[in-house]
Amino acid sequence: MLLTATLLGIPWWVSVSGYFVIGTLWACFYLPRRVKLMARAYHAWRKETLEDRSLAEVLGPETEYRSRLLRISPAEFRRCRDRDDWSEQRLIASFIANIAFWPIRVPQKILTDYLVEFWLSVFRWLRVVFRLVRNAISAVWRVLRNFITWLYRHVQTLYQAIILRANREAIADLKKLEGR
């Protein structure tokens, strides 16, 4: 950050204070949204895991769970909970990383998320164009194949007629020989 400010000729006190202002704005707008998304994800995971039962019913020595006995200890439940995206440690770590590395995260978002979407849309359009070209080539090939087949049959008929005329005497002689 300071290197960029030095290269651009921005005084360091402006870049450092700007860094903290951007960090504060990020905290005000990013943190509530992230916490809300994490709460939704946790609620869905808990609902699926506990099957709409209370935590006290499932946490214990043995419980009936999907028609089989299951033992869920509180430590196991916490381990499964903390393994996924809604853990408090992950929230704090991602928040600190986003604040600390926002000059890197903005280009990263642009280079990854937006460029991925851009290239996916480009490839979708290319797929549509290639499908149209393939269908056009296929249609042209069918027309050409049908024309060549028709032409071959006509030429074959013509050749048979020429051969029959040229060999009329030989054919007549063969018929006389067979008639004996």
Side-chain angles (χ1 to χ4, degrees), residues 2 8 17 25 53 63 65 70 87 99 107 114 118-119 128 133 135 139 148 157 159 164-165 174:
L2 292 176
L8 295 175
S17 60
L25 290 174
R53 292 193 250 174
T63 56
Y65 184 73
L70 179 72
S87 69
I99 295 297
Y114 301 124
F118 170 75
W119 286 114
V128 167
V133 167
N135 291 343
I148 290 173
T157 306
Y159 283 160
L164 285 176
R165 267 199 196 154
L174 280 176

Side-chain angles (χ1 to χ4, degrees), residues 2 4-5 14 18-19 49 54 57 82-83 95 137 157 174 178:
L2 292 176
T4 306
V14 172
Y19 183 80
T49 303
S54 70
E57 291 176 24
D82 292 343
R83 177 183 61 206
F95 181 68
I137 289 173
T157 306
L174 280 176
E178 286 177 2

Side-chain angles (χ1 to χ4, degrees), residues 14-179:
V14 172
S15 62
V16 171
S17 60
Y19 183 80
F20 287 109
V21 166
I22 289 173
T24 304
L25 290 174
W26 192 288
C28 291
F29 294 111
Y30 169 77
L31 189 59
R33 179 178 176 273
R34 179 76 173 142
V35 169
K36 187 188 324 177
L37 291 174
M38 288 174 65
R40 280 189 205 149
Y42 176 74
H43 180 70
W45 173 81
R46 183 176 173 192
K47 186 176 181 179
E48 177 187 335
T49 303
L50 303 181
E51 291 185 347
D52 291 329
R53 292 193 250 174
S54 70
L55 194 58
E57 291 176 24
V58 175
L59 293 180
E62 286 186 13
T63 56
E64 185 71 22
Y65 184 73
R66 294 185 185 157
S67 63
R68 66 184 167 151
L69 293 176
L70 179 72
R71 188 175 297 171
I72 300 178
S73 66
E76 177 69 18
F77 184 80
R78 258 192 253 93
R79 188 187 63 75
C80 289
R81 182 196 66 192
D82 292 343
R83 177 183 61 206
D84 291 313
D85 285 339
W86 48 79
S87 69
E88 184 180 346
Q89 293 89 359
R90 189 155 303 180
L91 170 69
I92 292 170
S94 68
F95 181 68
I96 290 172
N98 285 330
I99 295 297
F101 299 111
W102 72 265
I104 297 170
R105 293 282 290 160
V106 170
Q108 180 221 2
K109 280 290 188 192
I110 291 171
L111 290 175
T112 56
D113 297 347
Y114 301 124
L115 282 179
V116 165
E117 288 300 318
F118 170 75
W119 286 114
L120 286 175
S121 65
V122 166
F123 287 132
R124 265 185 254 133
W125 279 104
L126 285 176
R127 216 177 358 238
V128 167
V129 167
F130 285 141
R131 188 178 309 129
L132 290 173
V133 167
R134 186 183 68 216
N135 291 343
I137 289 173
S138 177
V140 167
W141 173 250
R142 277 193 306 272
V143 167
L144 187 62
R145 185 191 64 206
N146 290 341
F147 175 73
I148 290 173
T149 304
W150 175 83
L151 185 64
Y152 175 77
R153 288 184 185 142
H154 264 60
V155 168
Q156 188 179 14
T157 306
L158 183 64
Y159 283 160
Q160 285 175 349
I162 291 172
I163 290 170
L164 285 176
R165 267 199 196 154
N167 294 330
R168 195 177 322 168
E169 284 183 35
I171 293 172
D173 290 342
L174 280 176
K175 285 186 182 179
K176 286 180 187 174
L177 290 172
E178 286 177 2

